[in-house]
């Protein structure tokens, strides 16, 4: 209801321009019991059902930072809704309102979990399934130098290469999908991974299809050979590292800016002046807390 209070709700603006695509991104959506309630990523994740699936056996469910509901179920799904509405407009000539709820967005994002419940992937308690840390071949393991390796050797041919790299004989081990042996196998794998450094394990598994990769810090990710070859990370003019825009388009790739990120509100006055607002009108908007300013600090 914030935009309605400003006189800028969709009904008003769509009368001005019926081709307008008006996106509304919220946690709980535009209607329903919680529509006007405050919340954060963890709350939307909880209400979607997805949070109940995240976490290790015997531990509380945990939210993976705020990536799932805020950015994936929220921002990305909202952007997709805008693109869909823009494409539909090429046929109808009309705009519409996009109601992007983070609860529904992250629930839809997790459709795989819902639709694979009856095929054996998620029929066990949290932390005991194939992809949620239950399987010894889909897990992270600590190395002798305190770093970690990520293992994702699901397919039998990949699993065989994992076993070979660990110096084990698959003929002397339980079946890969022997659920009752998974806890024992995880302990065995952990003890073996703990005997070598991350670099040593990389030298063993790089170039194989064992699906074993190092767990990299941000700094290490930016300097990793593969990422450097693809120029996956960029530096701005203040030497700050960030990911390059993705995905990469062949004909019209994104051209990232190498300037520092603007401060919140840094260009508010400048942009409003460009759009014809007077300094008095801008001052009134600021005093009414509709907009905010932020002047960058001098670098002395």
């Amino acid at each position: 209801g914030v935009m309605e209070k400003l006189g800028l709700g969709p009904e008003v603006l769509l009368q001005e321009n019926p081709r307008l695509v008006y996106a509304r991104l919220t946690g709980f959506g535009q209607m329903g019991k919680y529509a006007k309630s405050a919340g954060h990523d963890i709350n939307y994740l909880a209400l979607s059902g997805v949070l109940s699936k995240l976490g290790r056996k015997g531990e509380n469910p945990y939210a993976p930072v705020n990536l799932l509901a805020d950015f994936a179920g929220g921002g990305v799904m909202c952007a997709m809704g805008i693109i869909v509405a823009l494409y539909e407009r090429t046929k109808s000539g009309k705009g519409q309102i996009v109601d992007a709820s983070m609860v529904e967005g992250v629930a839809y994002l997790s459709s795989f979990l819902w639709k694979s419940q009856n095929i054996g992937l998620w029929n066990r308690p949290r932390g005991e399934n194939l992809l949620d840390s239950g399987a010894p071949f889909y897990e992270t393991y600590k190395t002798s130098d305190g770093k970690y390796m990520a293992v994702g050797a699901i397919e039998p041919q990949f699993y065989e290469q994992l076993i070979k790299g660990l110096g084990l004989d698959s003929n002397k081990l339980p079946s890969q999908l022997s659920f009752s042996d998974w806890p024992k196998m995880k302990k065995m794998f952990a003890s073996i991974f703990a005997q070598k450094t991350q670099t040593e394990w990389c030298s063993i598994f790089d170039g194989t299809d064992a699906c074993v990769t190092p767990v990299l810090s941000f700094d290490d990710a930016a300097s990793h050979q593969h990422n450097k070859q693809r120029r996956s990370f960029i530096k701005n003019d203040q030497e700050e590292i960030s990911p390059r825009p993705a995905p990469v388009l062949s004909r019209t790739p994104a051209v990232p800016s190498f300037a520092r990120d603007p401060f919140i509100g840094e260009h508010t006055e400048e942009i409003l002046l460009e759009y014809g607002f007077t300094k008095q009108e801008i001052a009134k908007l600021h005093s009414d807390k509709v907009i905010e300013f932020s002047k960058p600090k001098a670098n002395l």
Side-chain angles (χ1 to χ4, degrees), residues 130-187:
L130 185 69
L131 302 177
D132 65 358
S133 79
F137 49 86
Y138 204 89
E139 178 60 289
T140 57
Y141 293 99
K142 195 171 186 178
T143 57
S144 63
D145 54 346
K147 298 181 179 181
Y148 295 88
M149 298 298 289
V151 177
I154 298 175
E155 290 79 1
Q157 66 272 29
F158 302 156
Y159 181 72
E160 184 61 35
Q161 294 199 40
L162 166 66
I163 295 302
K164 182 180 177 182
L166 292 176
L168 298 170
D169 183 349
S170 58
N171 293 320
K172 298 179 181 178
L173 297 174
S175 166
Q176 179 184 356
L177 296 180
S178 176
F179 297 115
S180 61
D181 289 304
W182 279 4
K184 178 178 67 177
M185 293 293 289
K186 286 179 72 171
K187 289 181 180 178

Side-chain angles (χ1 to χ4, degrees), residues 36 49-50 53 71 80 91 96 126 138 159 170 181 187-188 191 196 199 219 224 293 299:
K36 294 186 182 301
V50 178
K53 299 291 185 184
F71 298 126
M80 187 171 76
K91 299 177 178 297
Q96 55 187 309
R126 183 177 68 249
Y138 204 89
Y159 181 72
S170 58
D181 289 304
K187 289 181 180 178
M188 180 191 300
S191 68
K196 289 181 172 65
T199 299
D219 287 341
H224 188 273
F293 295 141
N299 292 320

Side-chain angles (χ1 to χ4, degrees), residues 202-225:
C202 286
S203 68
I204 290 172
F205 286 112
D206 279 5
T208 75
D209 282 334
C211 303
V212 179
T213 49
V215 178
L216 301 176
S217 67
F218 275 14
D219 287 341
D220 289 341
S223 61
H224 188 273
Q225 184 181 13

Side-chain angles (χ1 to χ4, degrees), residues 151-296:
V151 177
I154 298 175
E155 290 79 1
Q157 66 272 29
F158 302 156
Y159 181 72
E160 184 61 35
Q161 294 199 40
L162 166 66
I163 295 302
K164 182 180 177 182
L166 292 176
L168 298 170
D169 183 349
S170 58
N171 293 320
K172 298 179 181 178
L173 297 174
S175 166
Q176 179 184 356
L177 296 180
S178 176
F179 297 115
S180 61
D181 289 304
W182 279 4
K184 178 178 67 177
M185 293 293 289
K186 286 179 72 171
K187 289 181 180 178
M188 180 191 300
F189 287 6
S191 68
I192 296 173
F193 272 107
Q195 295 170 17
K196 289 181 172 65
T197 66
Q198 186 185 72
T199 299
E200 289 173 323
W201 284 118
C202 286
S203 68
I204 290 172
F205 286 112
D206 279 5
T208 75
D209 282 334
C211 303
V212 179
T213 49
V215 178
L216 301 176
S217 67
F218 275 14
D219 287 341
D220 289 341
S223 61
H224 188 273
Q225 184 181 13
H226 175 79
N227 293 334
K228 285 173 70 176
Q229 289 170 348
R230 286 189 54 82
R231 299 191 298 278
S232 300
F233 295 88
I234 57 176
K235 284 185 179 180
N236 66 13
D237 55 16
Q238 294 187 320
E239 295 294 300
E240 296 169 331
I241 299 173
S242 62
R244 181 182 66 168
V248 181
L249 304 185
S250 64
R251 188 170 52 81
T252 58
V255 180
S257 169
F258 293 100
R260 66 159 174 79
D261 293 337
F263 299 108
I264 294 174
E266 180 179 346
H267 303 113
T268 301
E269 183 175 14
E270 177 185 336
I271 290 169
L272 290 177
L273 287 170
E274 285 181 13
Y275 274 88
F277 286 79
T278 65
K279 282 188 174 288
Q280 291 76 18
E281 289 172 326
I282 295 171
K284 179 69 164 57
L285 289 170
H286 184 248
S287 65
D288 290 345
K289 300 188 185 306
V290 175
I291 61 174
E292 59 180 296
F293 295 141
S294 176
K295 298 298 181 184

